[in-house]
Amino acid sequence: MANKRILKKKINLICEALFADCVAVSLYGPEANKGNAEAHLYTIVQMHDHYIKRVSHPEPGITAKAYFKDLRDKFNAQVSDILDQINI
């Protein structure tokens, strides 16, 4: 497991990139995507907050390796889901 500081930094970078992509699509994309942009931006901010909190306060009773593997898997799945929604 990488340390928590590096994991938080990676989460921040990915969420920033998602936010920038969503803003770019809302400005330069088709009209259909502009209506959903605000909802996607809100979702990205909530996701960022949720995963930063999860890194800071792991659940007791689960090994650290299993907990952070599950966190990374769920984060990657949610990021790919948001990317699919943005690029529709």
Side-chain angles (χ1 to χ4, degrees), residues 53-66:
K53 284 180 182 176
R54 281 189 64 189
V55 169
S56 298
H57 304 288
E59 294 178 16
I62 302 174
T63 63
K65 185 174 182 178

Side-chain angles (χ1 to χ4, degrees), residues 17-27 33 36-41 44 82 86:
L18 276 175
F19 199 87
D21 286 345
C22 189
V23 169
V25 167
S26 71
L27 291 175
N33 288 345
N36 295 330
E38 188 173 322
H40 293 310
L41 293 174
I44 292 167
I82 290 174
I86 290 172

Side-chain angles (χ1 to χ4, degrees), residues 52-88:
I52 292 295
K53 284 180 182 176
R54 281 189 64 189
V55 169
S56 298
H57 304 288
E59 294 178 16
I62 302 174
T63 63
K65 185 174 182 178
Y67 178 76
F68 288 107
K69 182 181 182 322
D70 179 59
L71 184 135
R72 284 190 313 268
D73 292 342
K74 287 182 180 178
F75 180 74
N76 289 335
Q78 193 167 3
V79 166
S80 64
D81 184 44
I82 290 174
L83 277 174
D84 290 342
Q85 291 176 2
I86 290 172
N87 293 328
I88 289 177

Side-chain angles (χ1 to χ4, degrees), residues 1-42:
M1 174 189 94
N3 66 25
K4 291 179 183 181
R5 182 175 45 91
I6 293 172
L7 188 55
K8 285 182 181 181
K9 193 177 286 189
K10 288 182 181 182
I11 290 172
N12 283 331
L13 289 173
I14 291 170
C15 288
E16 286 174 11
L18 276 175
F19 199 87
D21 286 345
C22 189
V23 169
V25 167
S26 71
L27 291 175
Y28 305 113
E31 290 294 322
N33 288 345
K34 291 182 182 183
N36 295 330
E38 188 173 322
H40 293 310
L41 293 174
Y42 183 71

